[in-house]
Amino acid sequence: MRNTTPTTEAAFLTMLTAHQGIVHKVCKVYTRTAEEHNDLFQDIVVQLWRAWPAFQAGSKVSTWAYRIALNVAISGLRRGRIATEILTDQQYQIPENLPEQNAHADRLYQALHHLSAVEKPLVLLLLEDYSYEEIAHITGLNINHLRVKMHRVREKLRLLLTTIQV
């Protein structure tokens, strides 16, 4: 177990509360069941907690959180594959009710499930109003490569959204 101060834990909990929507969006895009969602949420929270001491205050917390969340989701880490580290109840909190979605959002999430692991975060970040430069920084893609991929992903999504019924 790591040696932490109450201040460190409080700061982490404040960050997690403010940015848990990021984690839930990533989980929703990469999972299909509530159990998978909860497992991935826990895996991401553990990784965020481990990385918290190294967080650079000059960076945007949301960018840092997205990068970690996406890396965990894409690498396919699930419970049991992460070195065990016990989190206190306050450090690991999953709300009882996940954010409600409307029919349009449900169609979008269904379409996102048909995208590749590389395409999903691009759309997710674009929907969050990140600039291409920020998306390139988070994903590690070259900006020109990102523009080409985004054009292809948009076309693919248009096609998927015309075929998906809720």
Side-chain angles (χ1 to χ4, degrees), residues 1 4 8 19 21 27-28 37 41 50 53-54 62 64 67 69 77 80 96 102 110 112 122 135 137 140 150 159 163:
M1 187 96 178
T4 60
T8 302
H19 294 85
C27 291
K28 182 135 177 124
H37 182 110
F41 186 94
R50 286 182 176 163
S62 58
W64 171 82
R67 177 172 261 179
L77 294 176
E96 290 296 317
N102 59 33
Q110 285 181 11
L112 288 173
L122 302 179
I135 296 171
H137 176 73
M150 286 306 299
L159 179 64
T163 61

Side-chain angles (χ1 to χ4, degrees), residues 150-165:
M150 286 306 299
H151 176 73
R152 291 178 184 157
V153 170
R154 280 187 175 130
E155 292 302 315
K156 189 174 182 178
L157 266 180
R158 267 191 209 103
L159 179 64
L160 286 167
L161 286 170
T162 60
T163 61
I164 293 176
Q165 303 280 326

Side-chain angles (χ1 to χ4, degrees), residues 63-78:
T63 300
W64 171 82
Y66 258 120
R67 177 172 261 179
I68 290 173
L70 291 170
N71 284 338
V72 171
I74 290 170
S75 68
L77 294 176
R78 294 290 183 262

Side-chain angles (χ1 to χ4, degrees), residues 4-25:
T4 60
T5 64
T7 306
T8 302
E9 288 184 26
F12 177 77
L13 288 173
T14 300
M15 178 282 303
L16 184 59
T17 300
H19 294 85
Q20 72 177 339
I22 290 170
V23 179
H24 281 297
K25 287 173 188 168

Side-chain angles (χ1 to χ4, degrees), residues 123-134:
V123 174
L124 191 60
L125 293 168
L126 188 64
L127 291 172
E128 289 290 317
D129 292 327
Y130 281 84
S131 69
Y132 275 24
E133 290 77 16
E134 291 171 312

Side-chain angles (χ1 to χ4, degrees), residues 67-91:
R67 177 172 261 179
I68 290 173
L70 291 170
N71 284 338
V72 171
I74 290 170
S75 68
L77 294 176
R78 294 290 183 262
R79 183 178 290 172
R81 292 186 58 200
I82 292 180
T84 31
E85 179 171 336
I86 305 302
L87 295 178
T88 65
D89 288 340
Q90 288 122 353
Q91 291 167 338

